[in-house]
Amino acid sequence: MTSIDAEGQVESENHENIIETHNNTRKNQEDNGSNVASASTSTPDHDSVSAPNELAGFIKVSDTFNNNGSVNFSASNISVVDSSIPGKKRKSDDVDTSNWTNTERDIPVTDTLPAFQNNLNDNCELRATEGKNQYCFATPSSKTESSHKPKLRKTHLDTLKKVFHFGTSFSSTNPLTKSEYQACENEQKSNKSLRSLNLVDCLVSLLGDEPFDTYNQMLWSFKPGHSLTPQSEAFLQIIKHSLCSFHLVCRTVPEFKQNHERTHFVENFIPSLMALTKIIGFIEFKWCETPFLSSSCLNLKYYDYDLRAAPFNKLIDALGIMKTQNNMELIIVEASSGAIKEDTTHTIEDSLKILECSASALKKEVAHYKYASLKTFKRLKVYSLQIIRTQVTLSEMSLYDKNHWKFIEKRSAKLPTNWNDRLCFVQYLELLATLFDGILTTQQVQKQLVKENLGLVEFSGPSVESISQEAIILLE
């Protein structure tokens, strides 16, 4: 055979191979189209499947996130659990699903998005997986937890609801406490405490466009354009001290800001709290890891008057004590993190500590006012501040009934960290004004309790002694 004949034979064989490859490709494409059409027509009909709720059973879902994905339905969420290459067999196709419940099946994604939306409940989340990444999509109305606020685990709440009625961002266990919490939220929106002191206009002037370098001169020379009550005058002084301290802290170079818990607490919160107590005059703070004493007083009999076997006293970051004959521990302050990062475990531990100490403080007062009116005693409050990053939350605890305490979140404010954001300082001052009013009210309540306890004022109804003789339900 000549070389020319050999080359012709090779070209002929190559041409035949190309034609065969082309035909095989077309056949594969047709087979793939047939498989996709078959998968589409074999999709179960939603109307033919009975389900105990809207999310159970087969539901047609738009192929929005993956062209050939599958969706796993459960009672609380919907997750895209598989993503396959079109035209190839998925691993789930080899699984026998005859014994699966409706909520365990993988549903091919074939239909339209409206059909999917109609079956979502308000708190539903959709999770889609592509490769190694997972994506979460929530409905607009789904509940969102407030950032950097007090929190407790579900196991804690299930136990504590035997002793506490909560009205907080993390739990509302009673219609009355829920209503009180919602009322407090509305009061914060309108800055009710600041308005009751007639100081809103003053703040508008103090937080205006005065240059940074001359701000302190303007601050201390400021005088309101209208008359103020003695209480308003006193709180205006607290405002000036707080703003002066904030002005000083804003000189910190951003590169030097750190997450040290004590530094953040001392620089940003102690000045305003110290101004509050010094100007009020009958509250004194003990700072940084001070022992909480009410618990040890209550534990004396339990440990047979030998506290060596008792747990150590809880240490409080700042403890406000009333200068009265029984030195009531009135204000409990816990800094649960630095300014930059939250430690969730620390937050939960401090939330539990605040609950324990607040209840102990009130329980100790029960022993002091046994013969006073129970109705008056229910107005006695213990206040707590929990600081998580730049968020500070004010709560109060009081007596609800012989078996329950009431714990209400009064205000929550985010402290600004930049001078240009100083207008946001109003929210923190509203919180301080609420605490200021609560302290003054507590002073009046204590005076009334003393008179009733000594028999100087008559009252109708049960006395505090009626509950002190009843055992509070203990945590199991």
Side-chain angles (χ1 to χ4, degrees):
M1 180 182 296
T2 65
S3 62
I4 295 176
D5 294 337
E7 290 177 359
Q9 184 177 354
V10 171
E11 289 179 359
S12 177
E13 291 176 355
N14 290 339
H15 181 69
E16 291 176 359
N17 290 337
I18 292 172
I19 293 175
E20 183 179 357
T21 301
H22 178 69
N23 292 334
N24 289 337
T25 301
R26 291 184 59 187
K27 185 176 184 302
N28 288 337
Q29 291 175 346
E30 292 173 359
D31 291 342
N32 289 342
S34 176
N35 289 338
V36 172
S38 175
S40 177
T41 57
S42 63
T43 302
D45 184 7
H46 170 60
D47 296 334
S48 65
V49 180
S50 60
N53 56 58
E54 290 184 353
L55 291 180
F58 294 120
I59 301 175
K60 297 179 182 180
V61 184
S62 172
D63 188 4
T64 304
F65 306 117
N66 296 296
N67 288 332
N68 196 16
S70 59
V71 179
N72 182 287
F73 284 82
S74 68
S76 60
N77 60 36
I78 302 176
S79 301
V80 177
V81 296
D82 187 29
S83 178
S84 305
I85 300 174
K88 289 196 174 183
K89 193 175 183 181
R90 295 173 298 184
K91 292 181 180 180
S92 58
D93 294 338
D94 296 327
V95 178
D96 182 10
T97 62
S98 60
N99 295 325
W100 286 16
T101 63
N102 287 340
T103 57
E104 293 173 328
R105 298 181 187 273
D106 286 341
I107 314 302
V109 182
T110 60
D111 211 341
T112 58
L113 185 59
F116 165 69
Q117 291 174 329
N118 290 336
N119 290 281
L120 285 176
N121 59 39
D122 288 343
N123 293 321
C124 188
E125 289 187 348
L126 177 68
R127 299 181 184 274
T129 301
E130 178 62 33
K132 296 182 179 180
N133 297 323
Q134 189 177 79
Y135 307 90
C136 179
F137 307 90
T139 57
S141 59
S142 59
K143 187 175 181 181
T144 304
E145 183 183 33
S146 302
S147 301
H148 315 309
K149 296 182 72 174
K151 50 183 67 73
L152 294 173
R153 302 189 194 280
K154 185 179 183 300
T155 52
H156 297 145
L157 289 171
D158 290 343
T159 301
L160 292 173
K161 67 183 181 182
K162 301 174 185 177
V163 179
F164 296 96
H165 285 313
F166 293 104
T168 67
S169 58
F170 60 79
S171 178
S172 294
T173 55
N174 178 284
L176 178 62
T177 54
K178 181 178 181 179
S179 177
E180 285 191 44
Y181 170 58
Q182 291 172 340
C184 290
E185 284 190 309
N186 292 330
E187 290 174 1
Q188 177 165 338
K189 293 175 185 176
S190 62
N191 294 310
K192 181 181 178 181
S193 298
L194 287 172
R195 291 187 184 279
S196 66
L197 294 169
N198 201 17
L199 291 173
V200 173
D201 291 339
C202 296
L203 282 176
V204 172
S205 300
L206 290 173
L207 296 173
D209 296 327
E210 183 72 22
F212 185 85
D213 293 337
T214 60
Y215 182 79
N216 279 338
Q217 181 180 352
M218 181 279 295
L219 176 67
W220 292 108
S221 63
F222 174 81
K223 293 183 179 180
H226 53 274
S227 59
L228 297 175
T229 64
Q231 290 82 4
S232 299
E233 287 279 7
F235 194 74
L236 180 58
Q237 292 302 308
I238 295 171
I239 289 175
K240 289 184 176 182
H241 283 283
S242 300
L243 287 175
C244 183
S245 173
F246 174 62
H247 178 269
L248 182 61
V249 169
C250 285
R251 291 181 179 273
T252 304
V253 179
E255 286 75 8
F256 293 120
K257 289 186 177 180
Q258 51 184 319
N259 198 51
H260 189 264
E261 181 180 307
R262 291 289 179 264
T263 301
H264 173 54
F265 177 52
V266 170
E267 290 187 352
N268 294 293
F269 293 98
I270 284 184
S272 56
L273 292 176
M274 184 167 62
L276 179 74
T277 58
K278 298 300 182 183
I279 290 173
I280 285 178
F282 57 86
I283 299 286
E284 197 65 41
F285 263 109
K286 293 183 178 179
W287 307 104
C288 298
E289 302 298 315
T290 194
F292 186 80
L293 301 179
S294 294
S295 298
S296 58
C297 294
L298 297 173
N299 286 334
L300 278 171
K301 185 175 181 180
Y302 182 82
Y303 289 100
D304 197 23
Y305 306 98
D306 184 359
L307 292 179
R308 289 176 296 179
F312 291 110
N313 290 327
K314 296 291 190 300
L315 299 178
I316 309 299
D317 290 334
L319 184 61
I321 301 173
M322 289 191 72
K323 298 178 186 177
T324 56
Q325 58 176 356
N326 47 320
N327 293 328
M328 179 182 179
E329 292 169 319
L330 181 65
I331 307 171
I332 301 166
V333 184
E334 281 296 317
S336 301
S337 76
I340 300 173
K341 185 179 180 181
E342 176 183 359
D343 182 348
T344 304
T345 300
H346 193 177
T347 297
I348 294 172
E349 290 173 347
D350 282 350
S351 298
L352 290 168
K353 183 196 296 187
I354 285 172
L355 287 173
E356 178 191 354
C357 293
S358 298
S360 296
L362 282 171
K363 186 65 176 172
K364 191 191 80 168
E365 296 306 303
V366 168
H368 283 287
Y369 300 114
K370 291 192 298 182
Y371 307 119
S373 167
L374 180 61
K375 182 179 179 180
T376 305
F377 188 85
K378 286 184 176 182
R379 294 168 51 207
L380 188 65
K381 312 287 178 64
V382 172
Y383 298 94
S384 61
L385 293 169
Q386 187 168 0
I387 301 161
I388 306 167
R389 290 187 59 178
T390 57
Q391 189 84 20
V392 54
T393 301
L394 169 66
S395 304
E396 67 175 23
M397 184 175 289
S398 59
L399 176 69
Y400 184 82
D401 58 30
K402 67 180 182 181
N403 290 325
H404 295 91
W405 305 105
K406 181 172 66 175
F407 191 73
I408 305 294
E409 182 181 309
K410 298 288 288 182
R411 298 289 189 274
S412 189
K414 185 174 182 179
L415 194 70
T417 56
N418 186 289
W419 184 248
N420 292 331
D421 299 328
R422 61 188 177 279
L423 194 61
C424 298
F425 205 80
V426 170
Q427 198 175 51
Y428 178 64
L429 293 175
E430 166 66 16
L431 182 148
L432 282 182
T434 305
L435 179 59
F436 175 78
D437 179 69
I439 293 172
L440 296 180
T441 301
T442 299
Q443 183 189 37
Q444 298 303 315
V445 171
Q446 277 217 338
K447 289 180 178 179
Q448 181 68 16
L449 286 170
V450 170
K451 293 177 182 179
E452 292 173 352
N453 195 57
L454 294 174
L456 301 177
V457 175
E458 295 183 355
F459 62 88
S460 59
S463 66
V464 177
E465 188 178 28
S466 65
I467 65 160
S468 65
Q469 295 173 346
E470 300 283 350
I472 300 294
I473 296 178
L474 298 178
L475 298 179
E476 298 180 355

